[in-house]
Amino acid sequence: MKLVSCNLGVDAANATATVAIVGDSHATAWFAAVDAIGKKHGWIVITYTKSSCPVTAALRIQAGEKNSQNQADCQSWVELLNKEISSNKQISTVFTASFSSAYSFASVDGNPLANPAVEGFTHVWEKWLSAGKNVVVFDDVPRTNGQYVPTCLASHADNPLACAVTVAQALPKNMNITAAAKEMAEHGVTRISLADQFCDAKLCYPLVGRTIVYRDYSHLSTEYALALVPYIESQLKQPGE
């Protein structure tokens, strides 16, 4: 296995900093936003993502998998990624995101964790912090009702609220990467919290203004990710700070 990456942001010759964005497919949904921020601030943005593979020290378990091969591949990929992040001195900041409520988690042999779902993330971030990296964590995006959101909106053109969900449904208690980010905020991790841009006190919305929030049942649309850039920037440190 090898890591596969691509570069976003600015060209190396014009870069003032190198950042990485890592995680599962929910990290890829933030590519457009981090690319835009990188272009504005002069960053190279290196991407390292793998579908259904959160970057955690715990064993991720996904319901419905027919065998353990994907699980093993994910573990191997995370090990390679952590070596790359720790050893690449050019990378000053690591962004990460995950659909963490979609999995359950267990301890890996030889690394017992009291709460694998949360501690799996915090253990990885502690290593990145020790390697001198800034760590930036996106909260879990709110969950939907499970339908493809554009399809739902098309079916309810006169009543988009039919595709909204309650806050309790959208923000379940097992949003583990969010819980980990809250826990690590006082230890140097930057948490990007955007719930107010999805939800009010009662509902989380599939449409904000004229922008569709999700491109399917869980991933942000490119348009909405870009619309959130000012709210992300307002919570960021500059690389190297």
Side-chain angles (χ1 to χ4, degrees), residues 21 23-31 97-100 140-141 218-220:
I21 180 165
D24 61 16
S25 61
H26 274 219
T28 69
W30 289 112
F31 279 4
S98 171
F99 191 16
S100 71
D140 287 273
V141 298
S218 73
H219 298 88
L220 285 183

Side-chain angles (χ1 to χ4, degrees), residues 10 15 35 42 45-46 56 59 64 66 81 87 92 97 100 134 137 148 164 169 174 200 207 212 231 236 241:
V10 302
D35 179 43
V45 181
I46 306 174
T56 171
L59 185 70
K66 294 181 180 179
L81 172 66
S87 64
S92 59
S100 71
N134 292 324
V137 180
Y148 271 49
Q169 291 173 296
N174 67 331
D200 59 22
L207 190 70
I212 297 175
Y231 302 97
L236 281 180
E241 286 186 6

Side-chain angles (χ1 to χ4, degrees), residues 73-199:
D73 287 348
C74 181
Q75 282 186 278
S76 297
W77 180 80
V78 169
E79 290 173 4
L80 286 174
L81 172 66
N82 281 328
K83 288 177 183 178
E84 172 62 21
I85 294 296
S86 296
S87 64
N88 188 333
K89 298 186 183 302
Q90 298 300 312
I91 295 174
S92 59
T93 296
V94 185
F95 291 82
T96 189
S98 171
F99 191 16
S100 71
S101 64
Y103 315 103
S104 55
F105 298 88
S107 293
V108 177
D109 290 345
N111 185 23
L113 302 170
N115 182 2
V118 173
E119 290 179 41
F121 290 110
T122 62
H123 280 212
V124 169
W125 304 342
E126 286 167 353
K127 291 179 180 179
W128 293 348
L129 291 168
S130 295
K133 317 298 181 184
N134 292 324
V135 179
V136 180
V137 180
F138 288 98
D139 276 6
D140 287 273
V141 298
R143 296 188 69 107
T144 69
N145 64 9
Q147 299 181 70
Y148 271 49
V149 170
T151 303
C152 184
L153 290 169
S155 300
H156 298 87
D158 296 329
N159 182 26
L161 286 180
C163 305
V165 297
T166 66
V167 168
Q169 291 173 296
L171 303 175
K173 292 182 179 179
N174 67 331
M175 287 188 150
N176 299 299
I177 200 169
T178 301
K182 289 178 181 178
E183 183 177 310
M184 289 293 290
E186 63 183 41
H187 300 290
V189 166
T190 299
R191 176 188 169 207
I192 305 298
S193 177
L194 299 166
D196 289 348
Q197 279 64 57
F198 292 87
C199 312

Side-chain angles (χ1 to χ4, degrees), residues 29-36 221-230:
W30 289 112
F31 279 4
V34 179
D35 179 43
S221 69
T222 296
E223 294 79 9
Y224 199 62
L226 288 170
L228 292 173
V229 163

